[in-house]
Amino acid sequence: MYQGGYLIGQIHKRTGRRINELLKENGITEFNGAQGTILYSLWNKETMTIKEIASVTGLAKTSLTSMLERMKQGGLLEIEENPQDGRSKIIRLTAKAKELQDVYEEVSASMTDCWYRGMSEEEIVQFEETLQKVLKNIEEY
């Protein structure tokens, strides 16, 4: 019996827990690992629509809307009407969120080191290619 889905699920859960621990250890209490995924997207592109964030993060728009509202209340995001499309909102980082980027990147680098510990460059490339195939298969299913 194949266990790929189970293993990916376990990795996801344990990675999420460890990221939350590392964030707290580094003094970040303003957001959790799941919200960090949203911030990461915005650190790479200053403003985005909810639809764009959902596409990049893989989060459902229903979950995303409530997460974005909590992040806005925490002073991490600004949410405003999209002047080009009244049905969508523009999400923008605040200065507070921008200040947290360096620490988040350190936490992320620590997790990358953990994930790939003991793996050769060739193994890492092969592993990531395999994950890309799995992701593509799921998206096409």
Side-chain angles (χ1 to χ4, degrees):
M1 181 171 170
Y2 299 118
Q3 294 186 317
Y6 170 79
L7 293 170
I8 289 170
Q10 289 299 306
I11 290 166
H12 177 73
K13 288 177 192 172
R14 292 171 194 224
T15 297
R17 277 190 230 128
R18 185 63 186 136
I19 285 173
N20 288 335
E21 291 168 1
L22 289 170
L23 289 171
K24 286 179 185 171
E25 288 172 16
N26 284 276
I28 294 182
T29 57
E30 293 86 354
F31 64 90
N32 60 34
Q35 294 167 333
T37 304
I38 296 166
L39 290 173
Y40 180 80
S41 301
L42 287 160
W43 285 321
N44 289 312
K45 186 177 178 188
E46 190 77 17
T47 61
M48 299 175 81
T49 64
I50 293 174
K51 184 177 179 179
E52 289 171 325
I53 294 171
S55 175
V56 169
T57 63
L59 294 167
K61 286 169 72 173
T62 52
S63 303
L64 191 54
T65 302
S66 60
M67 289 173 74
L68 292 172
E69 190 56 42
R70 282 193 304 275
M71 293 170 75
K72 177 184 175 186
Q73 291 171 357
L76 297 170
L77 302 176
E78 296 172 354
I79 302 174
E80 52 195 55
E81 296 293 325
N82 184 345
Q84 282 114 19
D85 180 0
R87 297 169 295 161
S88 71
K89 307 264 189 225
I90 298 289
I91 313 301
R92 183 182 324 277
L93 292 173
T94 63
K96 178 180 180 178
K98 291 175 187 175
E99 292 171 5
L100 299 171
Q101 182 176 359
D102 289 341
V103 177
Y104 183 81
E105 287 178 359
E106 289 175 22
V107 167
S108 182
S110 177
M111 284 308 304
T112 299
D113 291 344
C114 175
W115 266 56
Y116 296 127
R117 187 176 337 156
M119 295 175 77
S120 69
E121 184 70 27
E122 183 180 321
E123 288 173 315
I124 293 169
V125 169
Q126 184 177 8
F127 173 69
E128 290 189 351
E129 286 174 352
T130 301
L131 289 176
Q132 288 291 340
K133 286 180 187 177
V134 171
L135 182 59
K136 183 178 181 217
N137 289 343
I138 291 169
E139 289 172 346
E140 292 175 350
Y141 190 72

